[in-house]
Amino acid sequence: MDLKQSGRDTTQGPIDVAAIRQAARNLEDGAVSSGYQGNREEIIEMLNAALATELVCAMRYKRHYYTATGLVNEPIKAEFLTHAQEEEEHAGRIAERIVQLNGEPDFNPATISQRSHAEYDECTDIKGMIRANLVAERIAIESYRQMIERIGDTDPTTKHLLIDIMAVEEEHADDMRDLLD
């Protein structure tokens, strides 16, 4: 099958390898190629908000892990700890992407809670903890959905990163919903 039959646009001609090679010699831009179409400043700002959200979520889950009591709650505590670790992994992936976009990940503790879309929670009862985590997961899911929509096809790498993270957040929400039953 030729390119026309596959539905790919062939009107622009072959790929200009010489131009790609020349543009790649601009080493100051790191992973950002000359064909990058995203609004880097806006995407970095969104990613720093996502980073703050993931950090707040990790702290909330850890607090719930350490403060939940009772032998009957041990499986729930284990779920909280697993989610905290996954949120920390998300934060790391987001921070790495920010650096790839020539930005700086914002780990400033003084501003994390203001930049986070989710809220911290100090519940002391297990049902309240589960509810707070479910609400936070739903906030994260919708935040990621809107970021993905806003980025569109201008930055496929960031879009795919956010889609991957959002899928895990959906699993977290399902887990919390199941614990409420």
Side-chain angles (χ1 to χ4, degrees), residues 95-142:
E96 286 175 357
R97 184 62 185 154
I98 292 168
V99 171
Q100 288 173 347
L101 293 173
N102 299 321
E104 294 198 18
D106 189 348
F107 284 92
N108 185 342
T111 61
I112 285 175
S113 63
Q114 291 109 16
R115 289 181 289 113
S116 172
H117 296 177
E119 298 171 303
Y120 186 75
D121 177 75
E122 295 182 346
C123 282
T124 57
D125 67 286
I126 198 74
K127 287 286 189 187
M129 291 176 184
I130 295 167
R131 275 190 214 93
N133 288 319
L134 178 55
V135 167
E137 295 296 354
R138 291 173 50 82
I139 290 168
I141 292 164
E142 181 58 20

Side-chain angles (χ1 to χ4, degrees), residues 45-104:
E45 184 178 332
M46 284 189 286
L47 289 174
N48 267 315
L51 174 62
T53 302
E54 294 294 343
L55 293 170
V56 167
C57 288
M59 290 187 287
R60 186 189 59 256
Y61 273 120
K62 281 216 174 164
R63 183 189 184 282
H64 291 168
Y65 167 74
Y66 287 113
T67 60
T69 58
L71 289 176
V72 71
N73 291 328
E74 286 301 316
I76 296 172
K77 286 180 63 161
E79 194 72 29
F80 289 165
L81 182 58
T82 298
H83 288 202
Q85 292 165 340
E86 290 172 347
E87 304 293 2
E88 289 171 343
E89 189 262 334
H90 295 165
R93 291 178 66 196
I94 291 167
E96 286 175 357
R97 184 62 185 154
I98 292 168
V99 171
Q100 288 173 347
L101 293 173
N102 299 321
E104 294 198 18

Side-chain angles (χ1 to χ4, degrees), residues 158-175:
T158 300
K159 178 181 177 179
H160 290 293
L161 169 68
L162 297 178
I163 289 169
D164 288 347
I165 292 172
M166 186 173 75
V168 175
E169 303 300 359
E170 289 172 345
E171 290 173 20
H172 289 179
D174 281 345
D175 293 342

